Amino acid sequence: MTSEANLEPSHLKSHLGYHLRVVSNAVSHSFAKKLTSLDVTVAEWVILREMYANPNNTSPSGVAEFTGLSRGAVSKLIDRLLQKKLVSREEGSVDRRYQEIKLTKPGRILVPKLAKIADENDEFFFSMLTPTEKKEIRKILIKLTNLHKLNTNPIE
C-alpha cells in the first residue's frame, strides 16, 4: 500500500502551463522591449489598440468594459496617455462627472506602427509553425479562454 506522501511529484516541465508561460513570457517581454523605443507600455498599447477599434468617443468606464481592465487601471493608463498626448479627455457638457476619451491624431497615427511591431514580434516567434499549426493553437487557446471566461486583456 503506497501513501500519497511516497508518490513522486510531477515534474515542473511536465505541465502544459509551464510551457505556455515560457513562451508567453518570451513573446511578451520581447514585445515590451520593442515598445520602449516609442515610449509606450504593453498596457498602453492595449488601451490604444482597443480605442482604435472602437473609434466613437467613449468614457473611461467604456474603455474598461471593452478592454476587460478595472476602472482604476484604465484611469491610471488614461492619465499616462494624456501626458503623452495620445488621447484627449473632455468633460460632458451636461454632467461634469462624465468624461469623453478619444485618440488624438498622434495616437491614431501611432497605433498602426505599434500593430506592425506586434505583427513582427509574432512573426519572429511563430514563423516556424505552419498556417495549420497556428490556426489550431489559436483555436485551442480561444476555446480555453471562452471555457474559463478569461476576458481580461494581458497587460504584463
Side-chain angles (χ1 to χ4, degrees), residues 1-130:
M1 182 183 261
T2 61
S3 70
E4 284 189 34
N6 293 336
L7 293 177
E8 182 68 26
S10 59
H11 192 277
L12 174 66
K13 293 182 181 180
S14 70
H15 296 273
L16 184 57
Y18 169 83
H19 294 285
L20 284 170
R21 183 69 182 206
V22 168
V23 173
S24 176
N25 283 352
V27 173
S28 297
H29 291 128
S30 173
F31 183 54
K33 187 176 178 181
K34 291 171 183 169
L35 292 182
T36 59
S37 67
L38 294 169
D39 191 32
V40 176
T41 66
V42 173
E44 292 166 349
W45 150 247
V46 168
I47 298 290
L48 292 169
R49 184 61 187 94
E50 291 299 296
M51 287 182 71
Y52 190 89
N54 297 281
N56 297 330
N57 296 349
T58 190
S59 65
S61 61
V63 174
E65 185 178 319
F66 62 70
T67 61
L69 301 173
S70 72
R71 285 181 167 198
V74 166
S75 179
K76 289 176 186 175
L77 289 166
I78 287 173
D79 285 345
R80 291 190 341 216
L81 293 168
L82 283 164
Q83 290 175 352
K84 296 176 183 185
K85 300 188 182 337
L86 298 174
V87 300
S88 64
R89 174 172 50 201
E90 293 179 19
E91 290 181 351
S93 56
V94 176
D95 184 351
R96 293 184 162 237
R97 293 173 297 173
Y98 180 81
Q99 299 173 350
E100 290 184 1
I101 308 299
K102 63 181 178 178
L103 289 177
T104 60
K105 186 175 181 180
R108 190 156 282 290
I109 290 169
L110 182 60
V111 170
K113 293 176 186 176
L114 299 174
K116 186 174 191 257
I117 293 169
D119 294 342
E120 290 168 350
N121 195 60
D122 269 13
E123 180 65 19
F124 175 79
F125 280 96
F126 304 111
S127 63
M128 72 290 308
L129 299 175
T130 66

Side-chain angles (χ1 to χ4, degrees), residues 34 43 81 99 131-132 136 139 143:
K34 291 171 183 169
L81 293 168
Q99 299 173 350
T132 302
E136 191 60 28
K139 179 180 164 186
K143 180 179 180 178

Side-chain angles (χ1 to χ4, degrees), residues 139-151:
K139 179 180 164 186
I140 291 166
L141 293 175
I142 290 169
K143 180 179 180 178
L144 291 170
T145 299
N146 293 336
L147 177 70
H148 296 289
K149 297 177 176 67
L150 306 173
N151 60 359

